[in-house]
Amino acid sequence: MRSDRMKRGLEKAPHRALFKAMGYTDSEIARPMVGIVNTQNEIVPGHIHLNTLADAVKAGVRIMGGTPIEFPTIGVCDGIAMNHEGMKYSLASRELIADSVEVMAMAHPFDGLVMIPNCDKIVPAMLMAALRLNIPSIIVSGGPMMAGIHRDKEIDLITVFEGVGKVAVGEMSEDELVKIEDAACPGCGSCAGMFTANSMNCLTEALGMGLPGNGTIPAVEAARVRLAKKAGQTIMKLIEKKILPRDIVTMAALRNAITVDMALGCSTNTVLHLPAVAAEAGIELSLDLFDEISKKTPHLVNLSPSGPHHLHDLARAGGVQAIMAILSGAGLIDTSVTTVNITPLSHNLVGAEVFDTDVIRTINNPYHKEGGIAILRGNLAPDGAVVKQSGVDERMMKNTGPARVFESEEEAVTAILAGRIVKGDVVVVRYEGPKGGPGMREMLTPTSVIAGMGLDRDVALITDGRFSGGTRGAAIGHVSPEAAEGGVIALVRDGDIIEIDITGRRLDLKVSDDELKKRRQQWTAPKPKITTGYLARYARAVTSASTGAVIK
């Protein structure tokens, strides 16, 4: 066993003494040791309940004759970090979390790992750590939050964000917004729509690194506790069979995950996280692969923020396995891949069925013929940009308008709330990329305010930053190269005409090459916004959004 390195033999007597100092018995020390990575804390709603799941995982490990050993990691709540300096730390935390798991699992050689994350950057960080370490591992998420109810209508966190815009234009009173604020997030779990956390939890299941139900069983249901207990049992089988994460996360499995991504209409952040996960397995995922798969994968599920349904609806309708069964029937999924169930995917899909075709559409009746995400290129984004096309109004799929340029998210929000953005404008927010931000902040506040003010069908927003999975509208992010690296987005001026053609996959600045050359000669690289601490180191090492914003 891998754990023998720290417990077996004469020379490990001091090590065993330290285990005994914590109350471990000789029989517990002799068994396989499983690290339980519990990301519970009291600042993230999706993580507030994870101790209950950790206890269930540990029970599952003990049932199968193992010894569970729990340790924590950090976790950022993107919603609470939104629209202030805290958001600069969110994406950057992904690498820090993966590093911390690596440190713990290398310093203390566990035989396997069960990782219990739930929200935005924490889930991909766990996948990255699993593939980097390549020891038996399984992910079991905390599960999605239930939708809130207000005036007999389901609402969620995005209802609150968009309510700010409605108050700003006089369409809602502040008292009404307070009532929505009180009702929108009824309890524990990752926020109730197909936002980044739930996107990554569903894709973890599609990758084969989580058990069926990982992405959709609500946080408050006993079935989530049973799933955690089963995960604890399953890790012991993975250890026995020596099935490793890189046996599971192959190129075929990654293609499956991207296909499910497109069918679900997931967050654009998946285009950052899946390449970063793949990189840990030595696999390169290009933006072109996402677009290739999107063009042939129908959009079958339309959850908030783009549609009326929430994760509990998807769970009730059949979940990720039902979607994969539909896609498999259309020849879009490779069912021969291995999963943590220690069976091929085909075995998992036996008996999977759709119980509500309003929530999960058929191949012949999709919400859209193409997948949820599109990759745009052009002179404004030669290395690519990303848009959640399933959340864009049909009238904005092709759009031309004058640029309104802002050097930060705060500047843009101030202008929007002050009524300085009008129909037809193309808002450009730059110096918010991985290096320039630093940390590539999500722009949920400006996009939500635009939507709340009723401008999402008339105003586009383009940034070298990124968007929350809660964003809807013509919101184009990940523009690469970013402004801080001298990308063309740094050369845009107020009034320049920008042409957006999502259908044609184009994003172009209608300025001549000669004029851009003159502007580039006048451009100077900005001074770093943060010069000390973790973010300063991150900014020096982070790569482009087009390659997953990984650290090199």
Side-chain angles (χ1 to χ4, degrees):
M1 292 187 292
R2 187 172 183 266
S3 60
D4 286 349
R5 302 174 194 175
M6 62 179 172
K7 68 185 186 184
R8 186 176 294 276
L10 174 65
E11 70 279 12
K12 296 302 189 297
H15 305 62
R16 293 191 293 274
L18 291 169
F19 275 108
K20 290 176 180 180
M22 295 179 279
Y24 292 99
T25 64
D26 284 325
S27 61
E28 286 177 303
I29 295 169
R31 296 169 189 164
M33 290 185 165
V34 179
I36 312 298
V37 190
N38 181 7
T39 62
Q40 192 275 341
N41 61 44
E42 296 182 352
I43 191 65
V44 184
H47 291 217
I48 194 73
H49 63 304
L50 295 188
N51 281 344
T52 299
L53 299 186
D55 287 343
V57 169
K58 288 188 278 188
V61 170
R62 292 191 182 104
I63 287 168
M64 299 296 286
T67 298
I69 301 176
E70 183 179 332
F71 64 90
T73 71
I74 62 168
V76 171
C77 176
D78 277 26
I80 294 173
M82 198 72 65
N83 194 227
H84 59 85
E85 192 172 47
M87 180 47 72
K88 295 177 184 287
Y89 288 83
S90 175
L91 180 61
S93 74
R94 185 186 69 183
E95 271 60 31
L96 198 58
I97 294 165
D99 288 350
S100 71
V101 176
E102 176 194 355
V103 166
M104 290 297 288
M106 293 303 294
H108 318 99
F110 301 109
D111 297 298
L113 294 172
V114 181
M115 304 182 184
I116 315 171
N118 209 25
C119 291
D120 299 81
K121 308 308 148 315
I122 301 98
V123 178
M126 295 298 175
L127 288 167
M128 292 166 67
L131 286 160
R132 185 185 304 173
L133 291 162
N134 203 33
I135 62 175
S137 301
I138 186 171
I139 312 288
V140 56
S141 81
M145 184 184 293
M146 299 298 290
I149 303 291
H150 178 65
R151 301 190 189 279
D152 293 326
K153 182 181 178 182
E154 286 193 347
I155 62 173
D156 56 39
L157 182 64
I158 303 309
T159 315
V160 190
F161 271 99
E162 294 187 1
V164 174
K166 291 182 178 181
V167 171
V169 295
E171 290 187 8
M172 180 185 289
S173 69
E174 289 192 41
D175 286 344
E176 180 70 2
L177 181 59
V178 170
K179 292 175 183 176
I180 291 172
E181 173 188 325
D182 288 343
C185 300
C188 65
S190 46
C191 295
M194 189 52 76
F195 314 143
T196 304
N198 291 324
S199 295
M200 288 308 303
N201 283 329
C202 287
L203 297 191
T204 296
E205 184 177 335
L207 270 175
M209 285 296 292
L211 292 168
N214 179 76
T216 59
I217 297 172
V220 295
E221 290 191 2
R224 177 60 59 177
V225 179
R226 295 197 298 271
L227 185 77
K229 196 170 292 184
K230 185 177 179 182
Q233 294 172 290
T234 301
I235 189 62
M236 296 301 293
K237 296 176 185 177
L238 290 168
I239 292 168
E240 179 187 354
K241 300 290 186 182
K242 296 183 173 58
I243 296 175
L244 307 179
R246 293 185 195 177
D247 299 326
I248 296 169
V249 182
T250 60
M251 177 56 91
L254 287 159
R255 290 184 70 98
N256 284 351
I258 296 172
T259 302
V260 172
D261 184 348
M262 299 308 160
L264 282 173
C266 288
S267 165
T268 51
N269 283 314
T270 61
V271 183
L272 283 174
H273 297 321
L274 285 178
V277 170
E280 297 288 354
I283 299 171
E284 182 179 346
L285 290 186
S286 70
L287 294 186
D288 291 336
L289 179 61
F290 283 84
D291 211 45
E292 170 200 320
I293 293 174
S294 179
K295 286 178 178 177
K296 63 184 181 183
T297 305
H299 177 218
L300 303 178
V301 177
N302 205 25
L303 305 190
S304 175
S306 304
H309 302 122
H310 291 89
L311 262 292
H312 66 87
D313 296 308
L314 180 57
R316 172 179 53 80
V320 173
Q321 301 300 307
I323 293 164
M324 296 187 84
I326 293 173
L327 296 169
S328 172
L332 297 172
I333 289 284
D334 183 343
T335 62
S336 68
V337 297
T338 301
T339 71
V340 288
N341 249 354
I342 317 180
T343 55
L345 175 60
S346 57
H347 183 272
N348 294 355
L349 301 184
V350 173
E353 61 180 304
V354 175
F355 298 104
D356 188 338
T357 54
D358 286 335
V359 177
I360 302 175
R361 294 265 184 103
T362 64
I363 288 288
N364 297 323
N365 183 36
Y367 282 100
H368 301 95
K369 291 182 179 179
E370 291 188 354
I373 291 172
I375 307 300
L376 311 185
R377 296 186 187 271
N379 71 340
L380 189 53
D383 291 348
V386 182
V387 63
K388 188 173 182 176
Q389 63 175 344
S390 59
V392 179
D393 187 86
E394 187 65 31
R395 290 175 293 180
M396 293 295 285
M397 294 296 283
K398 287 189 177 183
N399 179 53
T400 300
R404 297 295 309 278
V405 182
F406 301 95
E407 309 301 319
S408 70
E409 178 188 5
E410 288 86 354
E411 286 186 22
V413 171
T414 298
I416 294 164
L417 287 173
R420 299 204 302 269
I421 301 301
V422 299
K423 291 182 178 182
D425 283 347
V426 178
V427 176
V428 177
V429 185
R430 63 191 179 194
Y431 295 106
E432 290 286 7
K435 288 182 180 295
M440 203 179 181
R441 286 193 290 182
E442 290 182 342
M443 303 288 160
L444 180 56
T445 296
T447 58
S448 295
V449 171
I450 286 171
M453 296 172 74
L455 293 172
D456 56 301
R457 297 179 177 179
D458 301 285
V459 171
L461 194 150
I462 297 172
T463 182
D464 53 5
R466 61 195 175 93
F467 296 107
S468 163
T471 288
R472 62 185 174 95
I476 300 168
H478 307 198
V479 171
S480 300
E482 63 175 288
E485 291 193 313
V488 174
I489 192 172
L491 310 179
V492 181
R493 294 180 180 174
D494 265 1
D496 286 349
I497 299 300
I498 293 177
E499 187 173 79
I500 301 166
D501 181 0
I502 296 173
T503 304
R505 305 302 205 254
R506 296 291 305 179
L507 181 63
D508 290 298
L509 178 66
K510 307 307 284 187
V511 172
S512 70
D513 290 343
D514 287 343
E515 174 61 21
L516 289 176
K517 185 177 181 180
K518 291 177 185 177
R519 294 183 188 182
R520 184 169 298 285
Q521 290 170 346
Q522 298 166 359
W523 179 80
T524 55
K527 293 181 179 179
K529 294 178 184 176
I530 294 178
T531 57
T532 60
Y534 176 62
L535 270 188
R537 300 195 303 274
Y538 177 85
R540 290 193 294 268
V542 70
T543 60
S544 169
S546 65
T547 55
V550 296
I551 294 293
K552 290 288 178 70

